[in-house]
Short mmCIF file of all heavy atoms in Angstrom, two decimals:
data_model
loop_
_atom_site.label_atom_id
_atom_site.label_comp_id
_atom_site.label_asym_id
_atom_site.label_seq_id
_atom_site.Cartn_x
_atom_site.Cartn_y
_atom_site.Cartn_z
N ALA P 125 -44.64 -6.76 11.72
CA ALA P 125 -43.84 -6.32 12.85
C ALA P 125 -42.38 -6.75 12.73
O ALA P 125 -41.62 -6.60 13.68
CB ALA P 125 -44.45 -6.83 14.15
N ILE P 126 -42.02 -7.33 11.60
CA ILE P 126 -40.63 -7.74 11.36
C ILE P 126 -40.13 -7.05 10.11
O ILE P 126 -40.78 -7.11 9.06
CB ILE P 126 -40.54 -9.27 11.14
CG1 ILE P 126 -41.07 -10.03 12.35
CG2 ILE P 126 -39.11 -9.68 10.83
CD1 ILE P 126 -41.14 -11.54 12.16
N GLN P 127 -39.00 -6.40 10.23
CA GLN P 127 -38.33 -5.87 9.01
C GLN P 127 -36.98 -6.58 8.88
O GLN P 127 -36.93 -7.66 8.29
CB GLN P 127 -38.26 -4.36 9.06
CG GLN P 127 -39.65 -3.74 8.85
CD GLN P 127 -39.66 -2.26 8.71
OE1 GLN P 127 -38.70 -1.65 8.26
NE2 GLN P 127 -40.77 -1.64 9.09
N CYS P 128 -35.91 -6.04 9.45
CA CYS P 128 -34.65 -6.79 9.34
C CYS P 128 -34.69 -8.06 10.19
O CYS P 128 -33.97 -9.01 9.94
CB CYS P 128 -33.46 -5.92 9.73
SG CYS P 128 -33.20 -5.75 11.50
N GLY P 129 -35.49 -8.02 11.27
CA GLY P 129 -35.64 -9.22 12.13
C GLY P 129 -34.62 -9.36 13.23
O GLY P 129 -34.71 -10.31 13.99
N TYR P 130 -33.67 -8.44 13.30
CA TYR P 130 -32.62 -8.64 14.31
C TYR P 130 -33.17 -8.57 15.73
O TYR P 130 -32.75 -9.35 16.60
CB TYR P 130 -31.47 -7.64 14.12
CG TYR P 130 -30.20 -8.19 14.70
CD1 TYR P 130 -29.43 -9.10 13.98
CD2 TYR P 130 -29.79 -7.85 15.98
CE1 TYR P 130 -28.27 -9.65 14.52
CE2 TYR P 130 -28.64 -8.39 16.52
CZ TYR P 130 -27.90 -9.29 15.80
OH TYR P 130 -26.75 -9.84 16.35
N CYS P 131 -34.10 -7.68 15.95
CA CYS P 131 -34.66 -7.55 17.30
C CYS P 131 -35.73 -8.58 17.62
O CYS P 131 -36.13 -8.73 18.78
CB CYS P 131 -35.29 -6.16 17.47
SG CYS P 131 -36.82 -5.95 16.50
N THR P 132 -36.23 -9.26 16.58
CA THR P 132 -37.46 -10.04 16.71
C THR P 132 -37.41 -11.16 17.76
O THR P 132 -38.35 -11.28 18.56
CB THR P 132 -37.87 -10.60 15.33
OG1 THR P 132 -37.92 -9.52 14.40
CG2 THR P 132 -39.21 -11.28 15.40
N LEU P 162 -34.97 -2.82 21.86
CA LEU P 162 -34.88 -1.77 20.87
C LEU P 162 -35.07 -2.32 19.48
O LEU P 162 -34.64 -3.41 19.15
CB LEU P 162 -33.53 -1.05 20.96
CG LEU P 162 -33.16 -0.48 22.32
CD1 LEU P 162 -31.84 0.28 22.22
CD2 LEU P 162 -34.27 0.43 22.86
N CYS P 163 -35.76 -1.53 18.63
CA CYS P 163 -35.92 -1.87 17.23
C CYS P 163 -35.58 -0.66 16.39
O CYS P 163 -36.09 0.43 16.64
CB CYS P 163 -37.39 -2.29 16.95
SG CYS P 163 -37.69 -2.64 15.19
N ARG P 164 -34.71 -0.85 15.41
CA ARG P 164 -34.28 0.26 14.57
C ARG P 164 -35.19 0.44 13.36
O ARG P 164 -35.01 1.39 12.60
CB ARG P 164 -32.86 0.04 14.07
CG ARG P 164 -31.86 0.01 15.19
CD ARG P 164 -30.47 -0.13 14.65
NE ARG P 164 -30.11 0.99 13.79
CZ ARG P 164 -28.90 1.23 13.34
NH1 ARG P 164 -27.93 0.45 13.69
NH2 ARG P 164 -28.66 2.25 12.57
N CYS P 165 -36.10 -0.51 13.13
CA CYS P 165 -36.79 -0.55 11.83
C CYS P 165 -38.24 -0.21 11.88
O CYS P 165 -38.75 0.51 11.00
CB CYS P 165 -36.66 -1.94 11.21
SG CYS P 165 -34.99 -2.57 11.10
N THR P 166 -39.00 -0.76 12.81
CA THR P 166 -40.45 -0.78 12.68
C THR P 166 -41.20 0.40 13.24
O THR P 166 -42.38 0.58 12.95
CB THR P 166 -41.05 -2.04 13.36
OG1 THR P 166 -40.79 -1.92 14.77
CG2 THR P 166 -40.40 -3.30 12.82
N ILE P 171 -45.27 -3.78 16.26
CA ILE P 171 -44.88 -4.79 17.25
C ILE P 171 -45.88 -4.81 18.39
O ILE P 171 -46.38 -5.87 18.80
CB ILE P 171 -43.45 -4.48 17.78
CG1 ILE P 171 -42.41 -4.71 16.67
CG2 ILE P 171 -43.15 -5.31 19.03
CD1 ILE P 171 -41.01 -4.29 17.03
S1 LIG G 11 -36.97 -5.29 12.72
FE1 LIG G 11 -34.98 -4.47 12.44
S2 LIG G 11 -34.29 -3.97 14.44
FE2 LIG G 11 -36.36 -4.52 14.69
#
Side-chain angles (χ1 to χ4, degrees):
I126 301 174
Q127 289 187 27
C128 80
Y130 204 81
C131 70
T132 307
L162 304 184
C163 176
R164 295 183 62 169
C165 307
T166 65
I171 291 173

